[in-house]
Amino acid sequence: MEKTDEHPIDQLRLFRVLMDSIPGPVYYKDADGRYLGYNRAFQDYFHLQNADYVGKTVWDLPMLREEAMAHNDADVELFNTPGSRIYRSSVTYPDKSVRHFISKKATFFRTDGTVGGIMGVLTDITELKRAEAALRESEARFRDLSEASLEAVIFLEDGVVVDANRRTYEMFGYGSHEIIGREVLDFIPPHMREEVRERIASRNMEKYETLGLRKDGFVFPLEVHPRELHAKGKQIRISIVRDLTERKSMEEEILKAKNLQSVGTLAGGIAHDFNNLLMAIVGNISLARMGVTNDPKITAFLDEAERIAFMGKSLTHQLLTFSRGGDPIRRIVFLGDIIPDLTERVLGGSMIRAKYAISENLHPIEVDEEQIKQVLHNMILNAKEAMPGGGTILVSCENVRATPQDRLPLIKEDYVCISIRDEGMGIPDEVLTKIFDPYFTTKGMGAQKGVGLGLAICYSIIKKHNGHILVDSVPHRGTTFHIYLPAYKRETSMFRGEDGQALSGRKGRILVMDDEEMILKIAKELLQHLGYDVTPAQNGEEAIGFYRQAMELKKTFDAVILDLAIPGGLGGKEVIQELAAMDPGVKAIISSGYLNDPIIQDYRAYGFSGILTKPYDAKELDDKLQNIMKEQQ
């Protein structure tokens, strides 16, 4: 019998040794859910004494009720359906810390075959849970950042799109879920695919530029920033994709502006001197006409000579448009008043007719009228030349509101859009991108030869008016130029109804200052023939002295004409300051062959009452003087 009694004790010791040799926490309970015991790892993990849990159920332990209920439900399930299962559980400690476990539980049986209890092995997965939570949080944060990005974010696995943000769908024009699962090369034009394929295969991480292909077939420039990462056992390539359409457009605009500036440097250097020569020619023609009254043949010759000389003025005006700082001389203009007449004059004698679609409530614009007429003239002339066999030109004007979606380099919202459409052969794509470049021309050396400055000048003029030019062309169906100019929205009724006629009235005493002897001589003779009393001055000091003397003698000048630039002396800007100090009511006209000086654009801010751009004829001179002298009355 003693031998029989020792055998169970050995088994129990063996069981305990085996239990304590297990590195993870192990426990066992009876069929009523009471702890029968646990191994040393369990005791150490939960900081227990030998029998702290023995005889207790989960309801007796210091844990939250919902946690105790989860443990108890698992035990009941095993008792009802014996076997082994894996459960997830958690324990909240008095200090509010929480530990998470995986518990593998199994039933054990008595010798009579009934369920004797449950044995459980615990694995602490708290750190794993924290890592999973951190990963989920990181993934959510990355997803939020990806969705908030203004760039497309594309995830690739072996060249196939496995994920993409909302911007990707917008950029490439696809609907929801139409991108996932497709090869990324589907969104690249065929001729660029091999290059992109090689970059992906070589795992090249350098940024690069390529082209994108929208669902509708539109091709646009892209910049790609690739990165790679290892996630969930897979190699993922992340591409940050930026649409370069707007940037490329801006770069083209800057390049055009630089080209125009280089032309302007050359043009501005010669235009002033040329205008002085034209002034002498036009002045002498005006004087000659005054002396010839009974010979219509000579009068006709003089008229033609004067017309050609003023064509030279128009040419210098065009050249000076390129000069740096050559801002327009602005006034309020109603396009509906000028477009039909100008169009008919350009088309006169041709087989081309014009149709008009001009909005009745069209906003006025504040522009340099001569420059805008020049733009319209060039555009209509181009349309005319595009249809040598005849046809119809449609000129339309409407109010438009620019929005960011238009992708136009415009600042203000309200514009007037002038569209000029022809029915010609259209402009080839390889030419379309160059038509606004200086010196580019498709005209040969025949009757319609050109130097390629027409559209470049138009481009420069519109840019200096804070506007923009677009061109649409379809082969064999024609070309349309769209000109956007800022609308003038203030009260405009006061600008309408001006008859522009010269004002009659008394002649007066005029002081003229110019350092060019021939200009001073011409101006003096023109004024004298017009009936004015003239005092010439060759420099600023002399002009100031004459004006002071006239005031002392109580014979004040009715008006003063001052040349803008006097090399080495006082010019018009300095002289007007001295004259205004002596006589706040001085009426002065600034005269110059330069159009690119700030004084010309805003002459009233400098104290002048009017402006005369060289060359000018007798009528323009008389009209200007009569107008400012009327202001005195």
Side-chain angles (χ1 to χ4, degrees), residues 283-302:
N284 278 294
I285 291 173
S286 291
L287 290 171
R289 181 188 286 108
M290 294 176 184
V292 178
T293 57
N294 299 321
D295 193 327
K297 188 173 182 180
I298 293 179
T299 299
F301 286 147
L302 291 174

Side-chain angles (χ1 to χ4, degrees), residues 330-564:
R330 302 173 188 267
R331 60 180 292 244
I332 307 303
V333 172
F334 295 84
L335 287 169
D337 296 343
I338 65 174
I339 283 181
D341 180 65
L342 186 149
T343 302
E344 297 303 329
R345 281 192 284 113
V346 176
L347 301 180
S350 70
M351 296 183 292
I352 298 171
R353 65 190 185 95
K355 293 176 63 177
Y356 306 97
I358 300 175
S359 174
E360 292 184 0
N361 61 343
L362 191 68
H363 294 312
I365 52 178
E366 188 176 21
V367 296
D368 186 312
E369 183 174 354
E370 293 304 315
Q371 288 187 2
I372 297 305
K373 284 182 176 179
Q374 178 184 334
V375 170
L376 295 174
H377 180 279
N378 284 354
M379 293 293 183
I380 295 167
L381 183 61
N382 281 344
K384 174 184 175 182
E385 293 174 349
M387 299 185 292
T392 301
I393 294 175
L394 174 63
V395 183
S396 61
C397 298
E398 61 178 338
N399 301 323
V400 297
R401 170 158 289 198
T403 65
Q405 288 72 30
D406 296 327
R407 291 192 171 186
L408 296 174
L410 301 174
I411 300 173
K412 296 183 178 180
E413 288 187 344
D414 295 305
Y415 288 80
V416 172
C417 178
I418 310 163
S419 298
I420 300 171
R421 187 179 74 193
D422 64 54
E423 297 174 337
M425 295 299 294
I427 303 173
D429 290 341
E430 63 271 17
V431 174
L432 201 60
T433 59
K434 302 176 182 179
I435 59 174
F436 295 116
D437 293 347
Y439 302 121
F440 178 79
T441 180
T442 57
K443 298 177 182 178
M445 300 304 292
Q448 293 183 352
K449 64 184 179 180
V451 295
L453 285 179
L455 288 178
I457 289 174
C458 293
Y459 180 90
S460 178
I461 289 173
I462 297 304
K463 279 299 177 185
K464 288 180 179 180
H465 282 82
N466 300 320
H468 189 62
I469 299 182
L470 287 178
V471 57
D472 296 324
S473 189
V474 179
H476 309 292
R477 295 183 60 183
T479 300
T480 305
F481 283 88
H482 304 282
I483 305 168
Y484 293 84
L485 290 166
Y488 185 85
K489 300 295 291 294
R490 296 192 291 272
E491 177 62 42
T492 56
S493 59
M494 61 180 291
F495 299 104
R496 309 232 41 174
E498 295 177 354
D499 58 15
Q501 298 299 316
L503 300 173
S504 60
R506 68 178 183 85
K507 302 300 181 180
R509 301 186 66 242
I510 310 299
L511 172 63
V512 182
M513 179 194 79
D514 200 300
D515 66 316
E516 290 283 349
E517 185 176 351
M518 64 176 178
I519 302 298
L520 192 61
K521 178 181 178 182
I522 291 294
K524 178 181 178 181
E525 292 189 13
L526 284 174
L527 288 166
Q528 287 177 337
H529 275 278
L530 290 169
Y532 294 96
D533 182 7
V534 186
T535 299
Q538 288 191 317
N539 55 59
E541 292 81 357
E542 196 171 58
I544 293 170
F546 286 149
Y547 202 92
R548 180 179 292 109
Q549 184 180 18
M551 290 192 68
E552 291 172 353
L553 296 174
K554 308 297 184 184
K555 294 182 178 180
T556 307
F557 289 103
D558 294 286
V560 179
I561 301 174
L562 302 175
D563 188 23
L564 175 60

Side-chain angles (χ1 to χ4, degrees), residues 22-27 39 41-43 45-46 101 120-124:
I22 298 173
V26 180
Y27 63 91
N39 69 348
F42 189 96
Q43 182 177 308
Y45 186 87
F46 290 102
F101 304 94
V121 180
L122 297 178
T123 301
D124 189 332

